Amino acid sequence: MLFFAALALLAPLLPIPNPTATDWMLVRKPPSAAHWFGTDELGRDILSRMIWGARASLQAGVISVGIAVAFGVPLGLLAGYFGGWLDQIIARITDAMLAMPFLILAIALAAFLGPSLQNAMIAIGISAMPVFVRLARGQALSVKTEDYVEAARSIGISNLRIMGRYILPNIFPPILVQATLTIATAIIAEASLSFLGLGQQAPEPSWGAMLATAKNFLTQAPFMAVAPGIAIFLVVMGFNLLGDGLRDALDPRDNG
């Protein structure tokens, strides 16, 4: 994860070719000393496009999950803390959204908003939001009955301050773990949307768009699919392992 994050951040400073520069004399050339991962159907350097594509994939993963957390956690916190009709409305809307497969909902929203990386991030963020609503609601329902919350309520502390000072910090660890795991899902979703033409638009590089192009040349130039495919696999695996590690580290039952 740190390796790919460094590549994404340092892409403008690295001595690599322009990822959008075409060269018709280098169309679908295999890996060589000049082009380590070969060139694509327009003669563009695949290594350069993979490095710049990391920016799109990581940006989509982090920002889309940020959107989901920013809207989902407050809604879940309100539903869990206040209960009643507010809880019923939020819970039913959340259940309706969870009834639709995550990727299908993201595709529908991205198609409605229009093809672009920004719209893809919004679509993924909205699609991932119900998970955080339900998680925050369940955690808030558990924490709001604790003695320290009852004590704070008994001395007249406002509901908003109780939620922000006493409940939110205590439900933050599972939300952090879920956010880390959801980033991996969001990266796959962004690659899927770009593969379908609903994410990053040409000529800007994206791992999903690179795979969409590579599928047309699997017999003539299979190397075109190797780099973006391995990159997606490694980044997603990294975020999943990080999420599992955080879950083990933040679980008080495992810490004695």
Side-chain angles (χ1 to χ4, degrees):
M1 285 174 49
L2 292 176
F3 172 74
F4 280 100
L7 284 181
L9 292 173
L10 299 176
L13 305 177
L14 295 176
I16 56 178
N18 187 329
T20 61
T22 61
D23 188 339
W24 298 107
M25 301 298 293
L26 296 174
V27 172
R28 298 200 304 273
K29 295 296 183 182
S32 64
H35 302 281
W36 291 2
F37 291 170
T39 59
D40 64 9
E41 82 287 1
L42 298 178
R44 298 172 297 194
D45 184 73
I46 293 177
L47 174 60
S48 177
R49 291 183 63 78
M50 193 199 74
I51 292 174
W52 280 88
R55 295 170 68 90
S57 294
L58 294 178
Q59 181 182 5
V62 173
I63 293 179
S64 60
V65 172
I67 293 172
V69 171
F71 289 95
V73 171
L75 287 174
L77 189 57
L78 289 172
Y81 182 79
F82 289 106
W85 63 268
L86 180 62
D87 181 26
Q88 290 298 317
I89 293 175
I90 294 176
R92 296 295 78 77
I93 294 175
T94 301
D95 290 341
M97 295 181 68
L98 286 171
M100 292 177 279
F102 167 77
L103 189 56
I104 300 300
L105 180 59
I107 292 173
L109 291 173
F112 174 77
L113 295 172
S116 72
L117 181 60
Q118 291 75 20
N119 289 339
M121 290 189 290
I122 295 173
I124 295 170
I126 294 174
S127 301
M129 187 175 66
V131 174
F132 292 95
V133 174
R134 173 170 284 187
L135 177 61
R137 175 182 176 273
Q139 293 293 318
L141 284 171
S142 175
V143 172
K144 76 174 185 179
T145 59
E146 296 291 339
D147 291 340
Y148 57 85
V149 176
E150 295 292 343
R153 191 181 293 114
S154 67
I155 61 177
I157 296 179
S158 66
N159 290 325
L160 184 62
R161 189 177 179 187
I162 290 175
M163 287 188 291
R165 184 173 179 180
Y166 295 98
I167 297 181
L168 184 59
N170 287 285
I171 69 173
F172 181 74
I175 291 174
L176 177 61
V177 172
Q178 183 61 49
T180 305
L181 296 172
T182 306
I183 289 176
T185 305
I187 290 174
I188 295 178
E190 186 278 329
S192 301
L193 292 177
S194 295
F195 185 89
L196 297 173
L198 297 173
Q200 182 80 289
Q201 296 299 294
E204 297 302 322
S206 167
W207 292 343
M210 292 172 69
L211 286 177
T213 300
K215 71 177 174 56
N216 299 319
F217 303 99
L218 287 178
T219 55
Q220 302 98 327
F223 57 85
M224 289 175 57
V226 174
I230 291 178
I232 293 172
F233 168 76
L234 291 176
V235 170
V236 170
M237 182 180 66
F239 275 107
N240 278 311
L241 291 175
L242 177 62
D244 289 340
L246 286 174
R247 179 163 46 202
D248 294 339
L250 297 176
D251 191 343
R253 291 171 297 181
D254 291 341
N255 295 331

